[in-house]
Amino acid sequence: MSDNELGLFLRSRREAVSPAEAGLPHGQRRRTPGLRRAEVAMLAGLSVEYLIRLEQGRDRHPSPPVLAALAGVLRLTPAERVHLHRLVKSADPGFRCRGELGPARAVRPTVRALLDHLEPAAAVLLNQLGDVLACTAGFRRLAAPLGLLDGPDPNLVRFVLADPRARTAFPDWDHVADEQVAALKQGPFRADPHVAAFADELTVTAGSAFTARVARVPGLARATGALRVAHPEAGALRLMYETLELSADDDQRIVTYLPGDEATAAALRDLREPLRLVAG
């Protein structure tokens, strides 16, 4: 399994930027998407040979000015720039990551109070490994019938990638799996020993569903988006999700799922307030 996360990220971003976005003339029709290496090198003031070394993982320590130039050419968002910086830092032999202390599992009282205030919305607190640390009753009503909360230590990533029920629960399973792998890879990934151990587990339990994504999905999941769920009790649901990253010391995130249309809102209300039979 490749550990060239910096090269994968640079390639994926280069292929996602059009010549027009980079300020280049469209030119002739292209067989491959995005920018050519020569174009990125020219715009960033680098040699093509050096860019190839970066993408192939033969150089993993570009200087801050080089990172800034590449970030500008590749039109990186602020979150993507932070991720790029972390990838370079994690390649340093002296790098020390927070994960050496173990995945963050403690839930601060104020975070638990925040979840309480999010009721009746479906909201869940996750750590870097995707462990479900706490959730609202609304999330439990949504997730428990899917099987996601089975067992003493439920984990979202493990459920999506290694539990066959997930492919039924999520009609867009391929996209959901991509996003879970991207979230797991965000930050130092295998430089974190606990994430590396979890990745080894998924290599065995999920096989190519995991390993193929590690090789092609860059580590930056979408913080917001839409999710379709085939719920065994509520039927077809369309949810919109928002992610709230907590402090770096927590290394946790809250994901809140809101109804994306009126039909979903009604179905979630029915889950919360099921019809009761009244004796005549």
Side-chain angles (χ1 to χ4, degrees):
M1 185 183 301
S2 172
D3 64 349
N4 181 22
E5 294 299 322
L6 175 61
L8 173 60
F9 183 67
L10 291 175
R11 285 197 309 276
S12 68
R13 292 308 307 147
R14 175 170 62 80
E15 292 168 357
V17 178
S18 70
E21 290 175 313
L24 296 172
H26 291 286
Q28 59 186 0
R29 195 179 191 90
R30 298 190 171 187
R31 295 181 180 177
T32 57
L35 297 175
R36 299 186 177 98
R37 287 193 181 107
E39 292 168 336
V40 173
M42 176 192 70
L43 293 170
L46 309 174
S47 69
V48 177
E49 291 75 15
Y50 182 59
L51 182 59
I52 291 174
R53 291 206 305 274
L54 289 176
E55 289 194 358
Q56 292 181 345
R58 291 185 286 123
D59 188 321
R60 304 189 185 192
H61 301 90
S63 67
V66 168
L67 291 180
L70 287 171
V73 172
L74 299 177
R75 299 295 189 267
L76 299 190
T77 66
E80 288 170 337
R81 289 171 185 255
V82 170
H83 180 63
L84 179 63
H85 173 74
R86 288 174 176 169
L87 289 177
V88 174
K89 287 287 291 181
S90 66
D92 189 328
F95 174 71
R96 289 288 182 268
C97 64
R98 190 214 177 284
E100 292 177 346
L101 304 175
R105 297 195 60 86
V107 182
R108 289 190 286 114
T110 50
V111 174
R112 196 173 293 277
L114 176 58
L115 284 175
D116 290 341
H117 280 79
L118 289 174
E119 292 284 6
V124 60
L125 177 68
L126 305 168
N127 63 11
Q128 176 61 30
L129 298 186
D131 293 325
V132 176
L133 306 179
C135 65
T136 63
F139 183 82
R140 189 169 296 279
R141 288 190 294 270
L142 175 69
L146 305 179
L148 198 162
L149 299 180
D150 288 359
D153 299 305
N155 179 283
L156 179 58
V157 181
R158 184 183 289 117
F159 175 76
V160 169
L161 292 168
D163 193 315
R165 292 175 294 181
R167 296 177 184 255
T168 300
F170 303 115
D172 304 310
W173 180 84
D174 281 310
H175 173 71
V176 173
D178 284 352
E179 289 296 292
Q180 291 305 314
V181 170
L184 183 65
K185 291 175 65 177
Q186 190 165 342
F189 190 41
R190 283 188 172 273
D192 181 321
H194 298 278
V195 178
F198 186 43
D200 289 342
E201 173 198 322
L202 291 172
T203 298
V204 175
T205 59
S208 62
F210 175 67
T211 56
R213 285 178 167 81
V214 168
R216 66 173 176 79
V217 175
L220 198 63
R222 294 177 177 86
T224 182
L227 175 70
R228 291 198 301 152
V229 177
H231 198 275
E233 297 176 8
L237 303 176
R238 183 174 182 271
L239 302 166
M240 306 302 294
Y241 65 86
E242 289 286 344
T243 305
L244 171 64
E245 298 284 350
L246 301 184
S247 73
D249 289 338
D250 290 313
D251 198 21
Q252 296 170 352
R253 64 192 185 276
I254 294 175
V255 185
T256 303
Y257 299 88
L258 301 172
D261 52 40
E262 285 301 321
T264 297
L268 292 179
R269 282 195 299 270
D270 288 343
L271 278 181
R272 187 167 74 248
E273 302 168 358
L275 292 175
R276 292 177 174 85
L277 292 177
V278 179

